[in-house]
Each structure stands twice: as C-alpha cells, then as structure tokens.
C-alpha cells in the first residue's frame, strides 16, 4: 500500500471534478474553455482514475480551499495566496529544498506572504511535521508540550540538541514508502525568530520568550475537485492571540500566565482579581509590540475581526454562501469585543478544502484531541467518504 493512500471512492472523482471545474472556470472568466476541458478531464478520469490540474486550476483551487477554510479568520486575503507547484519533486533532498524555499519566500524579510507548496498527489513520501517551524517538547516542562511525541520520534531517529532549551527548532522528517526515514534541519535565519519584550515592563524580556514569524501548517490534506494532495504545506501570518493567548497562555502549552501575573505583582490567590485576564493582556501586548518592532507581520485580533467581517460582506456580494466555524474564528480573548462574536456562522464544509490527515502509525505522532474527534469532525478527511 502506498504511504499516501488517500483515494476517493470510485465514482466520486468525476462529480467532484465537474463541480469544481464549473466554479473555477466561472470565477476565472474562462467559461469559453470549460466544456472542452471537462470532456478531457472526464476522459482522463475514465482512463487513469484521476486527472492532472492545469497550473491555473491548481492555483485557483488552492485559493478556493483557503476561502473555504471555516476555521480561518484571515480569509479576506485568499486571492493573494502564492502557489508553488512542486508536483514534479520526489527526491527527499529536493523536498527539503522546496520546504526551505517555501519558508524563505513566505518570510519575505518580515513582510510575510501567504504561500502554499503543492507536492504530487502520488508522492511516495510523507512529511511528518505539524508545522514547518515548531519548537521541540523535551518533557519536564522544557519546550512546547504539544510537540513532545514528535520530538521523541526525532530523538529515536538520532536528533539531539545540547543544551536543550525551550525554543529548539525541530528538524523536518520525511518518511518514505520503502520504510526509510530522512531528517533535515531547516535553516532558520535569526530574524525568523522574534524575541518577546514588553513596551512598559523591562523585566518581561527576562522570561526569555520568543516565537517564530511564519506559521506553516504541514500536516493537512488538500482536496481540489476530486484530486487529493497529501502534502501541501501552507502559511499565513500570525494573529497575536495565537501566540500570546494560546501558545504562551494555555495551561497545556507554555503556561506563562502564573509567572507573568507574579512578576506583575497581582494577587493570584483569588480569581476575582482577574489576574489571568490582566496577564493575558500584557502577554498579548508584548507579542504584538515585539513583532512590530522586529518588522515582522502580525495582526491584532481587533483588526483581524474587522477584516473577517469584510470578508463575509464580500462573499455575500459575490453571491457565495460564506461559511465559518464560530468557536474557531472568534478570537480567544475579549471575544465579545469582536464583531464576529455577535454574528452567526454556518459551519458547512464545501470543497476545495483542507482536511486533517489520518494519523500515520509509523510517525509515532498521535494527537489525542484529533483522535478523539476522528469520524465526527467535519474537517477530518475520512468524512469525505
Ligand atoms: N495557531 C497556530 C500556531 O499558533 C497556527 C495556525 C495557523 N495560523 C495562521 N495565522 N495562519 O502555531
């Protein structure tokens, strides 16, 4: 069995292709080319079971998939996605080069660009990383607890750092269908990591926090018109709360609220003092301030909310039903101060879209939250079947 056994049920490729091509060619103003193209695609599917997207279909399909990503607040910019066609690449060393190019193109000296790199639907390798840049979880409170299982896999493959810190960038791991595994350390320019300081509290930098500039999800499956791309890393730029509230604030992540509150001199013995809320605000101010000062793109959750409302208005103007997953799109702090909190969103999944991929047993990376939701979650790839 191939390592990427994401096949759609026989008979479902053409219907999905047909719907996609209708929409894609209409949106691109290419309706005069549609019927000839559909004939070709139908024949290709009959002969081979699938079809190859033209570069225009691929590029617009990727942008549609972003537009349809119900959990993303940043979708106003869906048209700006840069699509890199890496479908010809199969050699691990070339894959690593393509991933490095992705990061360098996306970082863009701090003016982060949204980029997606598309590998072959029939690639005989799988990329095991959750994101292209992520910090190791060494256990015992060192590093990012969310990466502890994957870090262990890397350790078993021989990856070690000395000394271990809270912010060691993990290697890329590729598993091939012949059972071999290849690792490569990405080259991260110092400017791709931002040291976190606070505009008013000089002690803040003693916490030694930093975060990376480019959030690039690399473990989701992209489906466009019946073609499944199992390796399609994509990135946007950060909204501050992703780092300040979640990555630093969550108890099961870096869990920094108690330390920040203590340094602020807050009464942590009684939740009536709202010490968590005060610490959250200052953590988030520090993240936004530090990214801005470093010249690295970041959005605050108020501006991001306004942009999302603008996205909804534009979708309506184009006669498209806009969809969203309320609990994901509402920012994780000061939620009622965001207009999204007061709006109703329909969480309907339409294609093209991104889905969580099935957990590959050889990866040794098991995301319990995802496993529990398996089968129920509309974004799990299995639900397409
Ligand atoms: N929330 C994730 C993180 O903090 C990143 C998800 C994608 N975010 C984005 N702004 N495109 O690492």
């Amino acid at each position: 069995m191939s390592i990427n056994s994401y096949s759609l049920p026989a008979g479902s490729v053409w219907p999905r292709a047909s719907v996609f091509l209708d929409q894609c060619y209409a949106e691109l103003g290419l309706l005069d080319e549609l019927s000839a193209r559909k004939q070709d695609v139908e024949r290709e599917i009959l002969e081979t079971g699938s079809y190859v997207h033209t570069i225009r279909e691929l590029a617009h399909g990727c942008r549609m998939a972003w537009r349809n990503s119900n959990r993303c607040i940043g979708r106003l910019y869906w048209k700006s996605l840069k699509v890199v066609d890496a479908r010809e690449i199969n050699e691990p060393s070339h894959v690593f080069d393509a991933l490095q190019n992705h990061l360098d193109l996306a970082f863009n000296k701090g003016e982060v660009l949204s980029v997606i790199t598309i590998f072959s639907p029939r690639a005989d390798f799988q990329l095991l990383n959750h994101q292209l840049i992520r910090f190791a979880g060494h256990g015992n409170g060192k590093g990012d607890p969310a990466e502890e299982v994957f870090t262990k896999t890397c350790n078993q493959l021989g990856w070690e750092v000395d000394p271990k810190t809270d912010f060691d960038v993990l290697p890329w791991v590729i598993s091939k269908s012949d059972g071999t595994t290849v690792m490569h350390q990405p080259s991260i320019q110092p400017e791709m990591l931002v040291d976190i300081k606070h505009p008013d509290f000089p002690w803040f930098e003693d916490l030694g926090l930093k975060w990376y500039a480019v959030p690039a999800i690399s473990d989701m499956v992209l489906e466009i018109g019946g073609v499944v791309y199992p390796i399609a890393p994509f990135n946007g730029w950060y909204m501050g709360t992703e780092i300040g509230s979640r990555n630093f604030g969550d108890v099961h992540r870096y869990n920094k609220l108690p330390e920040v509150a203590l340094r602020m001199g807050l009464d942590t013995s009684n939740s009536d003092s709202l010490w968590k809320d005060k610490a959250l605000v200052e953590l988030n101010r520090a993240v936004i301030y530090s990214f801005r000062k470093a010249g690295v793109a970041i959005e605050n959750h108020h501006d991001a909310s306004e942009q999302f409302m603008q996205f909804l208005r534009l979708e309506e103007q184009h006669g498209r039903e806009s969809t969203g997953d309320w609990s994901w799109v509402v920012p994780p702090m000061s939620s009622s101060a965001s207009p999204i909190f007061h709006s109703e969103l329909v969480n309907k999944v339409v294609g093209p879209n991104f889905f969580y991929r099935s957990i590959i047993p050889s990866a040794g990376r098991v995301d319990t939250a995802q496993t529990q939701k398996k089968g129920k979650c509309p974004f799990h790839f299995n639900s397409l079947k």
Side-chain angles (χ1 to χ4, degrees):
M1 191 172 76
S2 146
I3 196 161
N4 291 310
S5 51
Y6 298 102
S7 54
L8 290 167
S12 77
V13 179
W14 169 244
R16 297 185 80 85
S18 172
V19 171
F20 164 68
L21 292 170
D22 286 346
Q23 196 177 354
C24 177
Y25 280 67
E27 289 184 16
L28 293 176
L30 299 171
L31 283 176
D32 48 336
E33 297 175 27
L34 179 62
S35 68
R37 176 60 180 147
K38 283 181 80 172
Q39 273 177 23
D40 287 350
V41 168
E42 190 171 15
R43 191 173 333 114
E44 200 177 334
I45 292 173
L46 276 173
E47 283 165 11
T48 70
S50 187
Y51 67 107
V52 179
H53 284 131
T54 66
I55 186 71
R56 278 191 309 205
E57 291 161 4
L58 184 69
H60 195 64
C62 289
R63 293 177 185 134
M64 290 165 83
W66 182 8
R67 192 177 74 201
N68 290 331
S69 291
N70 287 359
R71 294 179 164 184
C72 177
I73 191 174
R75 290 181 274 161
L76 177 61
Y77 301 102
W78 65 272
K79 278 187 190 160
S80 71
L81 181 64
K82 303 236 165 311
V83 180
V84 180
D85 182 3
R87 287 176 293 178
E88 294 300 313
I89 293 181
N90 216 2
E91 213 21 62
S93 67
H94 297 163
V95 177
F96 292 135
D97 288 346
L99 298 178
Q100 187 69 50
N101 287 343
H102 181 130
L103 277 189
D104 296 341
L105 175 65
F107 179 62
N108 190 34
K109 299 199 173 100
E111 273 185 62
V112 179
L113 301 172
S114 299
V115 178
I116 185 165
T117 300
I118 306 291
F119 292 93
S120 168
R122 279 173 296 282
D124 72 344
F125 59 89
Q126 186 51 275
L127 176 64
L128 305 188
N129 301 66
H130 162 58
Q131 290 187 31
L132 294 186
I133 306 180
R134 207 58 173 162
F135 300 125
H138 298 295
N140 299 322
K142 250 248 170 304
D144 190 342
E147 289 293 337
E148 279 178 17
V149 177
F150 181 68
T151 304
K152 279 212 177 74
T153 304
C154 297
N155 293 152
Q156 278 156 13
L157 294 166
W159 184 80
E160 288 293 343
V161 278
D162 187 27
K164 295 179 169 58
T165 76
D166 281 328
F167 303 102
D168 299 319
V169 174
L170 284 161
W172 289 328
V173 183
I174 284 178
S175 157
K176 295 182 41 172
S177 55
D178 63 8
T180 56
T181 308
V182 204
M183 245 184 335
H184 178 86
Q185 194 65 35
S187 133
I188 305 296
Q189 311 155 36
E191 313 83 71
M192 285 190 185
L193 301 178
V194 178
D195 290 319
I196 309 297
K197 300 180 175 117
H198 191 282
D200 303 325
F201 303 154
W203 51 262
F204 201 97
E205 61 180 304
D206 301 337
L207 297 174
L209 298 177
K210 59 175 105 173
W211 205 256
Y212 48 87
V214 180
I217 303 293
S218 50
D219 60 356
M220 289 184 90
V221 170
L222 166 65
E223 188 261 338
I224 301 174
V227 178
V228 177
Y229 295 97
I231 309 147
F234 61 89
N235 75 280
W237 51 88
Y238 264 115
M239 176 165 82
T241 51
E242 297 183 83
I243 306 168
S245 300
R246 305 298 314 281
N247 301 344
F248 290 157
D250 277 3
V251 175
H252 57 278
R253 298 293 299 287
Y254 282 79
N255 190 23
K256 289 292 168 189
L257 295 186
E259 198 176 343
V260 170
L262 214 66
R263 300 256 199 161
M264 288 172 69
L266 302 176
D267 174 9
T268 57
S269 67
N270 182 339
S271 46
D272 277 356
S273 70
L274 299 188
W275 63 269
K276 285 187 186 173
D277 310 67
K278 287 184 165 177
L280 268 171
V281 169
E282 300 309 336
L283 252 174
N284 276 279
R285 276 184 75 205
V287 167
I288 296 167
Y289 168 80
S290 307
F291 269 62
R292 286 265 182 274
K293 217 163 169 234
V296 173
I298 195 157
E299 209 76 71
N300 69 55
H301 48 294
H302 301 289
D303 291 346
S305 296
E306 292 301 338
Q307 290 156 13
F308 183 73
M309 298 309 285
Q310 172 71 2
F311 166 72
L312 293 182
R313 283 191 290 273
L314 285 177
E315 285 304 287
E316 199 181 328
Q317 275 173 28
H318 283 95
R320 288 188 290 260
E321 183 188 16
S322 45
T323 56
D325 187 341
W326 191 96
S327 71
W328 273 68
V329 182
V330 167
M333 73 184 287
S334 311
S335 16
S336 63
S338 160
I340 310 171
F341 180 90
H342 307 279
S343 59
E344 264 182 47
L345 299 174
V346 183
N347 190 16
K348 183 171 134 194
V349 179
V350 290
N353 219 318
F354 295 97
F355 300 88
Y356 295 131
R357 77 178 172 214
S358 302
I359 293 142
I360 299 157
S362 64
R365 184 174 188 287
V366 177
D367 179 335
T368 35
Q370 227 183 71
T371 314
Q372 280 158 10
K373 273 191 276 176
K374 204 170 161 180
K376 270 191 268 166
C377 174
F379 279 95
H380 198 280
F381 188 74
N382 289 344
S383 67
L384 261 184
K385 297 186 178 174

